[in-house]
Amino acid sequence: MTAEHGAALANKTRYISPNRAAFDRLDNELQRLIQRYQALEQEGRLFRLVDVDLATYELYRAVWAEVRR
């Protein structure tokens, strides 16, 4: 996706674009939000979800099944 298209999509949906070239084309409010999220992540207050190994996944599944009972 071009920077222009990425920015247009992000500005419309209000979702952050992974297209770094689009950043300068985002509206000011969305740019400020992105910068705030990055600051929170650097402070350790946000985290990224990651895939877990199969054993951990099965443990989560078993615990969730218990919770639902």
Side-chain angles (χ1 to χ4, degrees):
M1 193 176 296
T2 66
E4 292 80 16
H5 288 119
L9 182 61
N11 285 326
K12 178 73 173 175
T13 63
R14 309 309 293 166
Y15 287 108
I16 297 171
S17 173
N19 186 341
R20 291 181 192 264
F23 184 80
D24 291 335
R25 294 171 173 86
L26 299 176
D27 65 41
N28 291 334
E29 180 186 352
L30 192 53
Q31 284 183 4
R32 282 193 299 276
L33 282 173
I34 292 169
Q35 291 168 340
R36 180 65 182 140
Y37 291 147
Q38 289 171 340
L40 290 171
E41 184 176 38
Q42 289 170 355
E43 292 172 12
R45 296 172 60 191
L46 293 181
F47 60 92
R48 295 183 188 272
L49 296 176
V50 296
D51 287 333
V52 296
D53 58 78
L54 184 58
T56 304
Y57 173 77
E58 291 299 330
L59 176 62
Y60 288 168
R61 213 171 123 194
V63 170
W64 183 244
E66 285 294 316
V67 168
R68 290 187 350 207
R69 287 186 199 179

